[in-house]
Amino acid sequence: MSADQRRRRMLGYLPPVLQSGTKIQSFFGSLSQELETMESGLTRLMRSRWYSLARGFAVDATLLNKADSELGRVAMLYGVSPRRGESDVYLRERLAAMVELHRTGLASAPALLRLVSLVYMARQPPRIVWEGDTAVGLFSVPRADGTYRDLRIELADNPEMPAGSSFRNFGREQRLLTTNQGLETAQVEISLKATEREIAVPILRHEELGLDVIFLGRIPPGSTLLLRDGRPPILDGRPVDTPIILAHPTRFAGPNDVGVMARFDMPEARFSVFKEDHGLPELSPGDSHWTYDTVERQEVRAYLLGWSSERQQAAEAQALPVRDTPRAELRFSWTEVTPATCTLRIPANHIPPHLLVPNEEGVVPGLPGLVKELAAALEYGRCAGVRTRIELTLPMPPESLIASEGPLNLELDPFFFSEQLDATDELTSFGSTISLHEQFSEPQEKLTWDGVFNGTRFDTSRFQS
């Protein structure tokens, strides 16, 4: 309402005899001018203090001009800075979302995924889907050409991370230390390399558990033996059918000789553990100690009293008559559950449009700039003491497999649906918390075994000599 319209309205409230007075009209005219000035000042105050009314800026304005605008100043009060290529409309939405996140809490998985979606300039909050202990965020993000694509990000709490310990040029009976810093028991993989000379029937002992892992074969010079839990051993990348024994050589007296300690190589002796299922000891959280040695021929015979004579002779032939343990190289590998850590997995083939615009130095932020903004968002919302990690993943196109069977043949026709994947960014050094993982399908291995079965069961009955 203008000053003249307000003056006429106020005069209309007076009796007609007073409306024609010169001084009355001059008084209400001055009053209407003052009210218009006050309304204009109040409007400016509201626009400068309320994000939906504050004056915005152009999309292509500089960061200095955006920050100096009314909307930029209001956003700075809440710790939100305008970004390059960001419109004032999206900044208002982002500011409102940040205030809402502060009200509901920043440390939850939906809040962290919402912070990440704001970095990608998503137009709506992410849809949260839980896959086990992993929170998956699904939302649409803009491309540089103005179109939209669906994006999938994952947030995992206490992720599983690879760990290991390596030992070089060590000899027999040296204590080797492995430390599982995770929260749960881990399955170990053991890699033993013959660096000095051939290793005949190596044995590894877990000191805390008292378990022996025995490979009833030989490792040629320069070759590497890989032992995995529940799988056949691999020698230089090729599976072998050599037996693996997991034993706990504690000896007990026979049923008729209670209280008398039986000899290790007597028929009455029995093991508390004796397995041939390619099992390995588990790593409990904390420290574990190992020792390495070889088994001579007489000790092999004592371990295998319950086997047939043919299998005993074949195993004894692999061992040396007198122990001769060469130096070797050993590596323990396992996957441990990392405590107080959350991992964000993002696709490496999408960069938000505002990070494809050159900055003041003429450098395009690209993928390193995206990682920095995501790391800042996670640090902003994480709990105290929780470490954050960012992992880059490369989504693969869907695969189709068509199988057709004929009279004497079997045809497989695999193909991938067409999808253009362009890699235009170069990874540089932007922190020690970034890791790039490449996954391969598990190799298919052919397993063969033989044996003679009878009524004797390990762990419960005495061995047959």
Side-chain angles (χ1 to χ4, degrees):
M1 184 181 298
S2 64
D4 186 62
Q5 291 174 343
R6 185 176 284 107
R7 180 186 60 83
R8 291 198 304 267
R9 173 174 290 187
M10 287 188 296
L11 286 173
Y13 293 131
L14 298 176
V17 68
L18 298 177
Q19 294 181 6
S20 60
T22 304
K23 293 184 177 181
I24 291 294
Q25 291 186 4
S26 177
F27 170 75
F28 281 109
S30 300
L31 183 59
S32 62
Q33 291 288 344
E34 290 296 330
L35 291 176
E36 184 180 23
T37 302
M38 294 176 60
E39 183 181 6
S40 177
L42 182 61
T43 301
R44 291 196 302 270
L45 179 63
M46 291 295 295
R47 290 181 58 183
S48 63
R49 295 295 184 269
W50 191 248
Y51 76 100
S52 62
L53 299 177
R55 184 179 292 109
F57 44 77
V59 178
D60 54 352
T62 63
L63 292 180
L64 181 60
N65 292 336
K66 289 183 176 182
D68 193 51
S69 63
E70 290 182 353
L71 179 58
R73 293 177 181 178
V74 174
M76 292 295 291
L77 294 176
Y78 296 90
V80 178
S81 302
R83 294 184 296 211
R84 188 175 305 277
E86 184 179 22
S87 64
D88 56 351
V89 177
Y90 191 79
L91 180 59
R92 300 180 203 272
E93 297 178 1
R94 185 157 66 97
L95 180 58
M98 292 296 295
V99 175
E100 178 65 19
L101 288 176
H102 275 275
R103 186 181 67 86
T104 58
L106 292 168
S108 62
L112 293 177
L113 293 177
R114 178 57 172 155
L115 289 173
V116 172
S117 69
L118 293 176
V119 175
Y120 281 99
M121 300 182 68
R123 294 297 180 182
Q124 76 287 338
R127 182 169 62 91
I128 309 299
V129 179
W130 287 91
E131 297 181 356
D133 295 333
T134 302
V136 180
L138 306 173
F139 50 89
S140 298
V141 294
R143 293 189 177 97
D145 56 0
T147 60
Y148 285 81
R149 63 163 289 182
D150 294 332
L151 204 66
R152 172 191 171 100
I153 57 177
E154 299 179 358
L155 185 65
D157 191 20
N158 296 330
E160 294 184 354
M161 303 300 298
S165 299
S166 298
F167 306 92
R168 296 183 178 180
N169 196 30
F170 66 93
R172 62 185 299 265
E173 296 184 353
Q174 291 183 349
R175 292 175 65 88
L176 310 177
L177 173 65
T178 59
T179 303
N180 178 13
Q181 299 179 355
L183 300 175
E184 300 177 356
T185 303
Q187 297 291 343
V188 66
E189 293 184 0
I190 303 175
S191 177
L192 180 61
K193 182 176 181 179
T195 56
E196 187 177 22
R197 59 180 182 272
E198 183 183 49
I199 302 177
V201 190
I203 177 174
L204 298 172
R205 169 166 293 183
H206 191 289
E207 296 295 334
E208 282 76 14
L209 299 179
L211 291 175
D212 293 341
V213 181
I214 307 174
F215 176 71
L216 296 178
R218 298 190 178 187
I219 306 177
S223 298
T224 302
L225 174 68
L226 177 62
L227 303 179
R228 300 171 298 172
D229 184 71
R231 300 182 182 181
I234 294 180
L235 187 61
D236 287 340
R238 298 185 302 272
V240 294
D241 56 358
T242 306
I244 296 284
I245 301 301
L246 180 66
H248 192 307
T250 302
R251 297 171 301 278
F252 299 90
N256 299 325
D257 300 323
V258 179
V260 180
M261 203 64 173
R263 289 176 54 85
F264 180 69
D265 54 352
M266 293 297 292
E268 292 82 8
R270 61 179 181 179
F271 294 90
S272 61
V273 175
F274 189 93
K275 298 180 180 179
E276 299 181 62
D277 56 358
H278 303 113
L280 296 179
E282 295 182 340
L283 290 183
S284 301
D287 295 342
S288 299
H289 296 84
W290 302 75
T291 56
Y292 153 77
D293 203 348
T294 56
V295 182
E296 61 184 12
R297 189 166 299 173
Q298 183 178 359
E299 291 179 341
V300 171
R301 185 181 303 110
Y303 270 97
L304 308 179
L305 291 178
W307 282 16
S308 63
S309 58
E310 293 80 6
R311 297 189 65 192
Q312 285 187 21
Q313 294 175 2
E316 292 174 7
Q318 299 295 324
L320 299 178
V322 180
R323 178 182 291 104
D324 185 11
T325 304
R327 292 185 172 271
E329 180 177 324
L330 188 63
R331 176 171 177 79
F332 299 91
S333 302
W334 65 91
T335 300
E336 62 186 24
V337 179
T338 309
T341 304
C342 64
T343 297
L344 176 68
R345 303 186 183 99
I346 63 171
N349 63 342
H350 177 77
I351 309 297
H354 70 277
L355 295 175
L356 300 176
V357 182
N359 54 22
E360 289 82 357
E361 292 79 12
V363 179
V364 178
L367 185 58
L370 172 62
V371 171
K372 290 181 180 179
E373 288 198 13
L374 291 174
L378 293 177
E379 290 290 332
Y380 186 80
R382 69 177 176 85
C383 292
V386 177
R387 296 171 295 178
T388 58
R389 297 175 54 90
I390 298 178
E391 296 179 356
L392 306 178
T393 61
L394 183 62
M396 297 298 294
E399 183 181 3
S400 176
L401 180 64
I402 301 176
S404 60
E405 186 177 359
L408 295 177
N409 65 341
L410 179 65
E411 297 181 0
L412 297 178
D413 185 15
F415 65 90
F416 292 90
F417 294 104
S418 61
E419 181 177 340
Q420 187 69 22
L421 298 176
D422 298 327
T424 59
D425 292 279
E426 180 180 358
L427 291 177
T428 59
S429 178
F430 41 73
S432 60
T433 61
I434 308 303
S435 59
L436 183 63
H437 297 276
E438 185 176 2
Q439 297 180 350
F440 295 92
S441 57
E442 188 72 17
Q444 301 294 328
E445 301 173 352
K446 183 178 179 181
L447 305 180
T448 60
W449 62 89
D450 57 1
V452 179
F453 300 90
N454 54 23
T456 302
R457 295 189 303 171
F458 290 128
D459 300 340
T460 57
S461 301
R462 292 186 300 171
F463 287 171
Q464 301 293 328
S465 59

